[in-house]
């Protein structure tokens, strides 16, 4: 199952479960995947998909640090929750 297929299946599950956080993360990942495919004008390879996912995870980690430094714990907690969902699509390290 490709990442695109998995995201589509997870999108349906999140919609049925009314899980707004997971739904938002999955929609964001699908949009980033489509944007990368449009830029390349072809389907992404598995390595390119993992690079895109890693980039998104890195952005979340940097945001968590920035929000914590600014004393915005509620936003840092939201980013942490998004990161946990995002990490389910990354291979175990």
């Amino acid at each position: 199952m490709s990442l695109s297929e998995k995201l589509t299946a997870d999108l349906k599950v999140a919609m049925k479960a009314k899980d707004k956080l997971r739904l938002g993360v999955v929609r964001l990942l699908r949009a980033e995947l489509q944007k990368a495919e449009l830029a390349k004008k072809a389907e992404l390879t598995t390595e390119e998909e993992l690079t895109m996912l890693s980039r998104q995870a890195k952005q979340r980690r940097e945001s968590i640090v920035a929000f914590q430094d600014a004393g915005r714990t509620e936003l840092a907690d939201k980013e942490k929750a998004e990161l946990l969902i995002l990490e389910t699509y990354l291979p175990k390290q």
Side-chain angles (χ1 to χ4, degrees), residues 1-10 33:
M1 179 180 273
S2 73
L3 178 62
S4 180
E5 293 168 345
K6 181 160 178 47
L7 288 173
T8 301
D10 289 350
L33 188 65

Side-chain angles (χ1 to χ4, degrees), residues 49-61:
E49 289 174 346
L50 289 176
T51 301
M52 186 267 307
L53 288 172
S54 297
R55 192 175 324 116
Q56 290 296 315
K58 181 182 177 194
Q59 285 178 351
R60 296 295 178 291
R61 288 185 195 103

Side-chain angles (χ1 to χ4, degrees), residues 21 60 63-83:
L21 182 64
R60 296 295 178 291
S63 295
I64 290 168
V65 171
F67 286 139
Q68 286 175 339
D69 289 346
R72 302 290 307 264
T73 56
E74 69 282 351
L75 293 175
D77 292 341
K78 182 180 181 276
E79 292 289 325
K80 286 178 187 176
E82 289 180 3
L83 181 61

